[in-house]
Amino acid sequence: MSQEPDEQAFDEGIGGSPSRISSPELRFEAQRAFVWTSVIGVVILAVYISQSLLVIFGAMVAATIIDGGARLLGRVVPLPRTWLVAIVLFIGGGFFYWLAGYAGSQISREAAQLPEIIEAQATVAFGWLRAQGFAVAVDDLQGMAGQLISGVGTVTRAIGGILGGLTTLLLISIIGVYLAMEPQLYERGVAWMLPRHRRAEFFETASKMAYTMRRLMAGRLVGMIFEGIFTWILLAWYGVPMAALLGILTGLLAFIPNLGALVAGSLMVLVGFSGGTDMGVYTIFVYFLVQTFDGYVVIPMIAKKTVDLAPALVLAAQLIMGILFGIIGLFLADPMLAMLKVALEQRAQRYDNREKVEPAKNGA
């Protein structure tokens, strides 16, 4: 008995099997549906585990800092990599131990006084504005002062030893140490999950990313040390209150481009004007001197030639990451943007090379 037309069309469409689609049009549409479903699923999964992914990326940044220190130390001391990493960790642990011990006494007392000074100076500033004819309500003053104090409190609590996000920092540090000890092991592990013809491209991109990250972190660390120490020295020389705390805050906030400098400068000026007009003007001078020297001398010599990011793009990334992930997102926005830039540049370069090779083959 011959098949009916509908049954014959059905068999031709699916090849007589419910698990195989022989029609090219139907197979193409099914592939498109599968791709879009996979993309949506990956996006949902990424949003769901975004905090964990951020911790892993933070660990990669920490591993880059350790790896850069070990490479730099290896140029002077010919030791195995394990010993170099151990020395870098010992130096870093010693610094944080000193910082915690110092913060337990003087810095913690200064951190407790800082919100009061900020609120008092904000009151004076709003009073001056009202005297000039600006309609500023007391509620506006209290709300803005409260937002500023709460923003500063996150950093001062971390410095003063009041716990906030220590578990996340601990996880980042532990994973970062493991990555720094044997980076090639984890790099090969990721490469094995890729198709064979994509592995060479992955190794090339990963090498470029690692180099860029090391340069970026070197610039950040040198800038943090320079800004923190010189701010501390210049403020202490003039007798500005809380010079040590302001120096440490300026150094820590230097890790965050653009926003960090503005926050550190605002705090410095507010504390400076609490000691009089002359001291306030001096703090403004110190702020511009340190930021100008760091921005036009220190950073260009180390990182700017390698990681040239548009300031507006960095600021937009910081705002987005800050809203989504808080202060950790702020700290990691710039490195993440730099890695995306490297990946896109490498992809564009590969396409350019292919376009140059194909005409040559056709001509041959």
Side-chain angles (χ1 to χ4, degrees), residues 49-85:
I49 63 173
S50 57
Q51 293 290 344
S52 300
L53 294 176
L54 195 67
V55 169
I56 295 174
F57 182 75
M60 295 172 61
V61 174
T64 302
I65 296 174
I66 299 172
D67 178 63
R71 289 171 179 263
L72 185 62
L73 189 61
R75 297 179 181 179
V76 182
V77 184
L79 291 175
R81 179 178 177 82
T82 304
W83 284 101
L84 295 175
V85 172

mmCIF file of all heavy atoms in Angstrom, residues 49-85:
data_model
loop_
_atom_site.group_PDB
_atom_site.id
_atom_site.type_symbol
_atom_site.label_atom_id
_atom_site.label_comp_id
_atom_site.label_asym_id
_atom_site.label_seq_id
_atom_site.Cartn_x
_atom_site.Cartn_y
_atom_site.Cartn_z
ATOM 1 N N ILE A 49 25.101 33.232 39.077
ATOM 2 C CA ILE A 49 26.381 32.963 39.744
ATOM 3 C C ILE A 49 27.349 34.141 39.577
ATOM 4 O O ILE A 49 28.570 33.974 39.652
ATOM 5 C CB ILE A 49 27.030 31.676 39.193
ATOM 6 C CG1 ILE A 49 27.359 31.830 37.714
ATOM 7 C CG2 ILE A 49 26.141 30.482 39.423
ATOM 8 C CD1 ILE A 49 28.150 30.660 37.137
ATOM 9 N N SER A 50 26.827 35.335 39.357
ATOM 10 C CA SER A 50 27.678 36.500 39.093
ATOM 11 C C SER A 50 28.630 36.789 40.255
ATOM 12 O O SER A 50 29.787 37.165 40.042
ATOM 13 C CB SER A 50 26.810 37.724 38.800
ATOM 14 O OG SER A 50 25.924 37.974 39.888
ATOM 15 N N GLN A 51 28.154 36.638 41.493
ATOM 16 C CA GLN A 51 29.020 36.889 42.636
ATOM 17 C C GLN A 51 30.203 35.932 42.651
ATOM 18 O O GLN A 51 31.343 36.326 42.917
ATOM 19 C CB GLN A 51 28.213 36.770 43.933
ATOM 20 C CG GLN A 51 27.151 37.836 44.139
ATOM 21 C CD GLN A 51 27.747 39.209 44.423
ATOM 22 O OE1 GLN A 51 28.922 39.326 44.747
ATOM 23 N NE2 GLN A 51 26.934 40.240 44.311
ATOM 24 N N SER A 52 29.945 34.665 42.366
ATOM 25 C CA SER A 52 31.035 33.685 42.328
ATOM 26 C C SER A 52 32.004 33.994 41.201
ATOM 27 O O SER A 52 33.227 33.866 41.368
ATOM 28 C CB SER A 52 30.470 32.274 42.160
ATOM 29 O OG SER A 52 29.606 31.946 43.234
ATOM 30 N N LEU A 53 31.481 34.385 40.026
ATOM 31 C CA LEU A 53 32.349 34.740 38.923
ATOM 32 C C LEU A 53 33.212 35.947 39.269
ATOM 33 O O LEU A 53 34.389 36.025 38.879
ATOM 34 C CB LEU A 53 31.518 35.039 37.670
ATOM 35 C CG LEU A 53 30.756 33.857 37.064
ATOM 36 C CD1 LEU A 53 29.905 34.327 35.882
ATOM 37 C CD2 LEU A 53 31.709 32.765 36.619
ATOM 38 N N LEU A 54 32.643 36.901 40.004
ATOM 39 C CA LEU A 54 33.406 38.079 40.413
ATOM 40 C C LEU A 54 34.518 37.694 41.378
ATOM 41 O O LEU A 54 35.624 38.249 41.319
ATOM 42 C CB LEU A 54 32.476 39.109 41.057
ATOM 43 C CG LEU A 54 33.045 40.519 41.210
ATOM 44 C CD1 LEU A 54 33.244 41.152 39.843
ATOM 45 C CD2 LEU A 54 32.124 41.382 42.053
ATOM 46 N N VAL A 55 34.249 36.762 42.268
ATOM 47 C CA VAL A 55 35.283 36.280 43.182
ATOM 48 C C VAL A 55 36.412 35.617 42.401
ATOM 49 O O VAL A 55 37.607 35.831 42.686
ATOM 50 C CB VAL A 55 34.677 35.303 44.209
ATOM 51 C CG1 VAL A 55 35.778 34.595 45.001
ATOM 52 C CG2 VAL A 55 33.750 36.038 45.157
ATOM 53 N N ILE A 56 36.059 34.811 41.384
ATOM 54 C CA ILE A 56 37.083 34.147 40.577
ATOM 55 C C ILE A 56 37.919 35.178 39.817
ATOM 56 O O ILE A 56 39.151 35.074 39.751
ATOM 57 C CB ILE A 56 36.427 33.156 39.607
ATOM 58 C CG1 ILE A 56 35.759 32.018 40.393
ATOM 59 C CG2 ILE A 56 37.447 32.595 38.618
ATOM 60 C CD1 ILE A 56 34.957 31.074 39.540
ATOM 61 N N PHE A 57 37.266 36.185 39.265
ATOM 62 C CA PHE A 57 38.030 37.218 38.559
ATOM 63 C C PHE A 57 38.905 38.002 39.534
ATOM 64 O O PHE A 57 40.044 38.362 39.200
ATOM 65 C CB PHE A 57 37.080 38.168 37.831
ATOM 66 C CG PHE A 57 37.788 39.221 37.036
ATOM 67 C CD1 PHE A 57 38.403 38.899 35.829
ATOM 68 C CD2 PHE A 57 37.860 40.530 37.483
ATOM 69 C CE1 PHE A 57 39.065 39.861 35.091
ATOM 70 C CE2 PHE A 57 38.519 41.492 36.762
ATOM 71 C CZ PHE A 57 39.121 41.170 35.557
ATOM 72 N N GLY A 58 38.383 38.281 40.724
ATOM 73 C CA GLY A 58 39.208 38.944 41.735
ATOM 74 C C GLY A 58 40.420 38.104 42.106
ATOM 75 O O GLY A 58 41.519 38.629 42.328
ATOM 76 N N ALA A 59 40.234 36.784 42.155
ATOM 77 C CA ALA A 59 41.361 35.892 42.431
ATOM 78 C C ALA A 59 42.382 35.948 41.299
ATOM 79 O O ALA A 59 43.596 35.894 41.552
ATOM 80 C CB ALA A 59 40.856 34.468 42.627
ATOM 81 N N MET A 60 41.928 36.071 40.069
ATOM 82 C CA MET A 60 42.853 36.204 38.951
ATOM 83 C C MET A 60 43.649 37.499 39.048
ATOM 84 O O MET A 60 44.845 37.528 38.734
ATOM 85 C CB MET A 60 42.076 36.142 37.634
ATOM 86 C CG MET A 60 41.415 34.800 37.374
ATOM 87 S SD MET A 60 40.317 34.824 35.935
ATOM 88 C CE MET A 60 41.459 35.253 34.633
ATOM 89 N N VAL A 61 42.997 38.577 39.482
ATOM 90 C CA VAL A 61 43.713 39.844 39.673
ATOM 91 C C VAL A 61 44.751 39.704 40.781
ATOM 92 O O VAL A 61 45.902 40.156 40.644
ATOM 93 C CB VAL A 61 42.718 40.975 39.994
ATOM 94 C CG1 VAL A 61 43.456 42.263 40.348
ATOM 95 C CG2 VAL A 61 41.773 41.216 38.825
ATOM 96 N N ALA A 62 44.358 39.069 41.888
ATOM 97 C CA ALA A 62 45.309 38.847 42.980
ATOM 98 C C ALA A 62 46.467 37.967 42.522
ATOM 99 O O ALA A 62 47.638 38.220 42.869
ATOM 100 C CB ALA A 62 44.592 38.207 44.164
ATOM 101 N N ALA A 63 46.167 36.929 41.743
ATOM 102 C CA ALA A 63 47.230 36.057 41.233
ATOM 103 C C ALA A 63 48.166 36.821 40.305
ATOM 104 O O ALA A 63 49.388 36.573 40.307
ATOM 105 C CB ALA A 63 46.611 34.873 40.493
ATOM 106 N N THR A 64 47.634 37.742 39.541
ATOM 107 C CA THR A 64 48.478 38.551 38.658
ATOM 108 C C THR A 64 49.437 39.415 39.463
ATOM 109 O O THR A 64 50.612 39.570 39.090
ATOM 110 C CB THR A 64 47.597 39.438 37.771
ATOM 111 O OG1 THR A 64 46.703 38.616 37.015
ATOM 112 C CG2 THR A 64 48.443 40.265 36.825
ATOM 113 N N ILE A 65 48.946 39.992 40.560
ATOM 114 C CA ILE A 65 49.818 40.810 41.413
ATOM 115 C C ILE A 65 50.939 39.958 42.004
ATOM 116 O O ILE A 65 52.117 40.347 42.003
ATOM 117 C CB ILE A 65 48.991 41.480 42.521
ATOM 118 C CG1 ILE A 65 47.969 42.452 41.913
ATOM 119 C CG2 ILE A 65 49.902 42.202 43.515
ATOM 120 C CD1 ILE A 65 47.024 43.049 42.920
ATOM 121 N N ILE A 66 50.585 38.777 42.499
ATOM 122 C CA ILE A 66 51.603 37.880 43.071
ATOM 123 C C ILE A 66 52.581 37.426 41.997
ATOM 124 O O ILE A 66 53.802 37.407 42.207
ATOM 125 C CB ILE A 66 50.925 36.672 43.740
ATOM 126 C CG1 ILE A 66 50.006 37.137 44.877
ATOM 127 C CG2 ILE A 66 51.960 35.705 44.281
ATOM 128 C CD1 ILE A 66 49.146 36.032 45.466
ATOM 129 N N ASP A 67 52.049 37.070 40.830
ATOM 130 C CA ASP A 67 52.903 36.610 39.736
ATOM 131 C C ASP A 67 53.844 37.714 39.274
ATOM 132 O O ASP A 67 55.032 37.464 39.010
ATOM 133 C CB ASP A 67 52.028 36.140 38.575
ATOM 134 C CG ASP A 67 52.847 35.687 37.378
ATOM 135 O OD1 ASP A 67 53.595 34.703 37.519
ATOM 136 O OD2 ASP A 67 52.741 36.317 36.311
ATOM 137 N N GLY A 68 53.335 38.938 39.186
ATOM 138 C CA GLY A 68 54.194 40.053 38.792
ATOM 139 C C GLY A 68 55.307 40.300 39.792
ATOM 140 O O GLY A 68 56.460 40.554 39.417
ATOM 141 N N GLY A 69 54.970 40.213 41.086
ATOM 142 C CA GLY A 69 55.997 40.365 42.112
ATOM 143 C C GLY A 69 57.046 39.268 42.042
ATOM 144 O O GLY A 69 58.250 39.523 42.197
ATOM 145 N N ALA A 70 56.610 38.033 41.794
ATOM 146 C CA ALA A 70 57.549 36.915 41.690
ATOM 147 C C ALA A 70 58.450 37.073 40.470
ATOM 148 O O ALA A 70 59.658 36.797 40.535
ATOM 149 C CB ALA A 70 56.782 35.598 41.621
ATOM 150 N N ARG A 71 57.896 37.511 39.345
ATOM 151 C CA ARG A 71 58.708 37.731 38.148
ATOM 152 C C ARG A 71 59.732 38.835 38.375
ATOM 153 O O ARG A 71 60.903 38.718 37.953
ATOM 154 C CB ARG A 71 57.812 38.087 36.956
ATOM 155 C CG ARG A 71 56.979 36.938 36.413
ATOM 156 C CD ARG A 71 55.970 37.439 35.401
ATOM 157 N NE ARG A 71 55.176 36.350 34.854
ATOM 158 C CZ ARG A 71 55.443 35.739 33.702
ATOM 159 N NH1 ARG A 71 56.491 36.112 32.983
ATOM 160 N NH2 ARG A 71 54.669 34.769 33.259
ATOM 161 N N LEU A 72 59.301 39.918 39.021
ATOM 162 C CA LEU A 72 60.223 41.024 39.298
ATOM 163 C C LEU A 72 61.320 40.588 40.258
ATOM 164 O O LEU A 72 62.504 40.924 40.071
ATOM 165 C CB LEU A 72 59.437 42.205 39.874
ATOM 166 C CG LEU A 72 60.224 43.494 40.113
ATOM 167 C CD1 LEU A 72 60.770 44.039 38.788
ATOM 168 C CD2 LEU A 72 59.343 44.536 40.789
ATOM 169 N N LEU A 73 60.952 39.837 41.279
ATOM 170 C CA LEU A 73 61.938 39.349 42.237
ATOM 171 C C LEU A 73 62.879 38.335 41.594
ATOM 172 O O LEU A 73 64.066 38.259 41.946
ATOM 173 C CB LEU A 73 61.221 38.729 43.438
ATOM 174 C CG LEU A 73 62.076 38.352 44.650
ATOM 175 C CD1 LEU A 73 62.760 39.581 45.234
ATOM 176 C CD2 LEU A 73 61.213 37.681 45.705
ATOM 177 N N GLY A 74 62.355 37.551 40.646
ATOM 178 C CA GLY A 74 63.170 36.555 39.979
ATOM 179 C C GLY A 74 64.287 37.154 39.142
ATOM 180 O O GLY A 74 65.275 36.471 38.843
ATOM 181 N N ARG A 75 64.166 38.411 38.725
ATOM 182 C CA ARG A 75 65.240 39.061 37.980
ATOM 183 C C ARG A 75 66.451 39.358 38.862
ATOM 184 O O ARG A 75 67.561 39.530 38.343
ATOM 185 C CB ARG A 75 64.728 40.369 37.374
ATOM 186 C CG ARG A 75 63.612 40.190 36.362
ATOM 187 C CD ARG A 75 63.154 41.535 35.828
ATOM 188 N NE ARG A 75 62.067 41.390 34.866
ATOM 189 C CZ ARG A 75 61.477 42.412 34.265
ATOM 190 N NH1 ARG A 75 61.882 43.661 34.523
ATOM 191 N NH2 ARG A 75 60.499 42.207 33.397
ATOM 192 N N VAL A 76 66.202 39.442 40.179
ATOM 193 C CA VAL A 76 67.284 39.768 41.115
ATOM 194 C C VAL A 76 67.771 38.532 41.850
ATOM 195 O O VAL A 76 68.974 38.344 42.055
ATOM 196 C CB VAL A 76 66.809 40.838 42.117
ATOM 197 C CG1 VAL A 76 67.944 41.227 43.062
ATOM 198 C CG2 VAL A 76 66.282 42.064 41.387
ATOM 199 N N VAL A 77 66.835 37.679 42.264
ATOM 200 C CA VAL A 77 67.162 36.495 43.057
ATOM 201 C C VAL A 77 66.854 35.256 42.233
ATOM 202 O O VAL A 77 65.678 34.968 41.966
ATOM 203 C CB VAL A 77 66.365 36.482 44.377
ATOM 204 C CG1 VAL A 77 66.788 35.286 45.227
ATOM 205 C CG2 VAL A 77 66.556 37.772 45.139
ATOM 206 N N PRO A 78 67.853 34.475 41.828
ATOM 207 C CA PRO A 78 67.609 33.269 41.021
ATOM 208 C C PRO A 78 67.151 32.098 41.887
ATOM 209 O O PRO A 78 67.936 31.219 42.245
ATOM 210 C CB PRO A 78 68.977 32.994 40.390
ATOM 211 C CG PRO A 78 69.965 33.555 41.361
ATOM 212 C CD PRO A 78 69.298 34.749 42.007
ATOM 213 N N LEU A 79 65.861 32.074 42.205
ATOM 214 C CA LEU A 79 65.287 31.021 43.033
ATOM 215 C C LEU A 79 64.146 30.346 42.275
ATOM 216 O O LEU A 79 63.597 30.926 41.330
ATOM 217 C CB LEU A 79 64.755 31.596 44.351
ATOM 218 C CG LEU A 79 65.791 32.116 45.367
ATOM 219 C CD1 LEU A 79 65.091 32.766 46.550
ATOM 220 C CD2 LEU A 79 66.683 30.983 45.846
ATOM 221 N N PRO A 80 63.759 29.113 42.674
ATOM 222 C CA PRO A 80 62.583 28.477 42.063
ATOM 223 C C PRO A 80 61.328 29.325 42.269
ATOM 224 O O PRO A 80 61.233 30.110 43.221
ATOM 225 C CB PRO A 80 62.489 27.137 42.792
ATOM 226 C CG PRO A 80 63.864 26.875 43.305
ATOM 227 C CD PRO A 80 64.450 28.224 43.619
ATOM 228 N N ARG A 81 60.360 29.111 41.374
ATOM 229 C CA ARG A 81 59.145 29.939 41.419
ATOM 230 C C ARG A 81 58.407 29.801 42.750
ATOM 231 O O ARG A 81 57.875 30.789 43.270
ATOM 232 C CB ARG A 81 58.223 29.549 40.258
ATOM 233 C CG ARG A 81 56.931 30.358 40.259
ATOM 234 C CD ARG A 81 56.042 30.031 39.095
ATOM 235 N NE ARG A 81 54.802 30.772 39.191
ATOM 236 C CZ ARG A 81 54.645 32.033 38.802
ATOM 237 N NH1 ARG A 81 55.659 32.690 38.284
ATOM 238 N NH2 ARG A 81 53.491 32.643 38.922
ATOM 239 N N THR A 82 58.399 28.623 43.317
ATOM 240 C CA THR A 82 57.691 28.426 44.583
ATOM 241 C C THR A 82 58.256 29.331 45.673
ATOM 242 O O THR A 82 57.510 29.948 46.447
ATOM 243 C CB THR A 82 57.783 26.961 45.024
ATOM 244 O OG1 THR A 82 57.265 26.122 43.981
ATOM 245 C CG2 THR A 82 56.976 26.734 46.297
ATOM 246 N N TRP A 83 59.585 29.421 45.732
ATOM 247 C CA TRP A 83 60.214 30.282 46.728
ATOM 248 C C TRP A 83 59.958 31.752 46.443
ATOM 249 O O TRP A 83 59.755 32.548 47.373
ATOM 250 C CB TRP A 83 61.713 30.011 46.774
ATOM 251 C CG TRP A 83 62.057 28.741 47.480
ATOM 252 C CD1 TRP A 83 62.376 27.537 46.910
ATOM 253 C CD2 TRP A 83 62.097 28.545 48.894
ATOM 254 N NE1 TRP A 83 62.613 26.592 47.877
ATOM 255 C CE2 TRP A 83 62.459 27.189 49.107
ATOM 256 C CE3 TRP A 83 61.878 29.363 49.993
ATOM 257 C CZ2 TRP A 83 62.591 26.645 50.387
ATOM 258 C CZ3 TRP A 83 62.011 28.834 51.264
ATOM 259 C CH2 TRP A 83 62.361 27.497 51.457
ATOM 260 N N LEU A 84 59.945 32.127 45.183
ATOM 261 C CA LEU A 84 59.672 33.523 44.836
ATOM 262 C C LEU A 84 58.263 33.926 45.248
ATOM 263 O O LEU A 84 58.035 35.010 45.807
ATOM 264 C CB LEU A 84 59.872 33.726 43.333
ATOM 265 C CG LEU A 84 61.301 33.541 42.801
ATOM 266 C CD1 LEU A 84 61.314 33.648 41.281
ATOM 267 C CD2 LEU A 84 62.234 34.570 43.418
ATOM 268 N N VAL A 85 57.300 33.048 44.965
ATOM 269 C CA VAL A 85 55.913 33.330 45.367
ATOM 270 C C VAL A 85 55.801 33.402 46.890
ATOM 271 O O VAL A 85 55.106 34.272 47.437
ATOM 272 C CB VAL A 85 54.964 32.265 44.787
ATOM 273 C CG1 VAL A 85 53.555 32.425 45.351
ATOM 274 C CG2 VAL A 85 54.923 32.345 43.273
#
